[in-house]
Amino acid sequence: MDGKSRRARWVGTTLLALAALLGSSVTLDARAEYGDVVINNYSDQAGMRPVVFPHWFHRIRFRCKVCHADLGFKFKAGGNEINMVKVIDGQFCGACHNGEVAWNVENCNMCHSGKPNTPTQVHESTTSSIVTPAKGAKP
Ligand code: HEC
Ligand code: HEC
Ligand code: HEC
């Protein structure tokens, strides 16, 4: 298979599937998938630091499907209306951060580690793989 068709197949199996799931704007900036996601729909208002979710750290430990299908995380920064009642109830982060799969929710600062007032966004990749997406370029 030549490089072109290999690339085409790669695009076919990853980006297009993702685009279908997202049902909206997908750029070809696939690396942003591995950036840290800052989640701040409610934290600042509640006097907590914004949540920083290290995507790459998790992504190398679990398949996409575990979170984005089985646990129902939507492919959108800030798109999941997560709150602590749900987390403590075992939904979203709480499916793992329960003292069994991973450390439990009492470690507030592990998740609420963002700088106050950082808006919901995909932050630059922790692996800083290739490019840093422009701030605000992603949903
Ligand atoms: C495993 C990760 C995780 C841990 C640990 C965690 N949180 Fe959260 N928390 C979240 C996420 C994700 C949100 C949603 C963030 C947002 O949209 O602003 C959230 C939201 C909140 C909110 C705002 C929404 C609400 O439910 O009122 C408060 C307040 C909060 N957390 C307090 C705490 C406190 C206090 C602790 C420690 C006892 C804690 N959190 C530990 C992940 C975590
Ligand atoms: C441990 C759980 C977990 C795994 C595994 C995981 N994700 Fe995510 N993903 C999340 C969370 C949490 C968010 C942010 C959701 C939010 O802000 O409410 C997210 C956000 C995203 C986004 C939107 C933000 C962005 O970076 O553009 C994409 C796209 C995405 N994930 C793709 C993937 C792909 C592809 C894989 C597998 C290679 C994967 N995820 C694996 C939990 C996970
Ligand atoms: C599918 C399981 C799973 C889900 C869902 C999950 N985590 Fe984790 N997370 C883990 C595991 C496993 C670790 C590693 C724990 C350890 O090292 O003891 C971890 C570690 C972390 C760390 C520490 C990273 C580091 O550098 O040590 C943070 C921060 C974190 N998770 C935040 C979150 C937040 C926020 C959410 C929800 C938005 C979430 N996690 C959802 C399994 C999960």
Side-chain angles (χ1 to χ4, degrees):
M1 185 159 53
D2 65 15
K4 207 170 168 190
S5 55
R6 198 177 303 124
R7 178 175 159 74
R9 198 173 75 162
W10 184 82
V11 167
T13 51
T14 58
L15 290 177
L16 295 186
L18 202 55
L21 278 161
L22 278 160
S24 64
S25 58
V26 140
T27 66
L28 288 179
D29 191 6
R31 297 132 231 140
E33 284 161 19
Y34 310 132
D36 289 349
V37 180
V38 179
I39 309 175
N40 191 4
N41 292 324
Y42 312 111
S43 297
D44 263 335
Q45 292 159 1
M48 294 293 293
R49 286 168 169 262
V51 170
V52 178
F53 173 73
H55 210 177
W56 176 258
F57 179 97
H58 288 83
R59 180 252 170 281
I60 57 175
R61 286 168 173 76
F62 302 94
R63 292 177 184 281
C64 316
K65 177 180 174 294
V66 171
C67 292
H68 290 292
D70 301 351
L71 298 179
F73 277 105
K74 295 196 181 99
F75 288 106
K76 186 173 189 300
N80 290 282
E81 296 175 18
I82 306 169
N83 63 41
M84 288 316 289
V85 172
K86 295 178 186 172
V87 171
I88 290 162
D89 187 43
Q91 298 175 54
F92 297 114
C93 321
C96 299
H97 288 280
N98 54 12
E100 290 172 28
V101 182
W103 39 262
N104 72 22
V105 290
E106 277 155 41
N107 301 287
C108 315
N109 299 339
M110 291 289 285
C111 293
H112 291 276
S113 64
K115 279 209 307 214
N117 301 316
T118 309
T120 298
Q121 64 181 281
V122 181
H123 198 262
E124 61 220 41
S125 169
T126 44
T127 60
S128 54
S129 51
I130 303 170
V131 294
T132 301
K135 290 229 161 65
K138 296 288 286 184

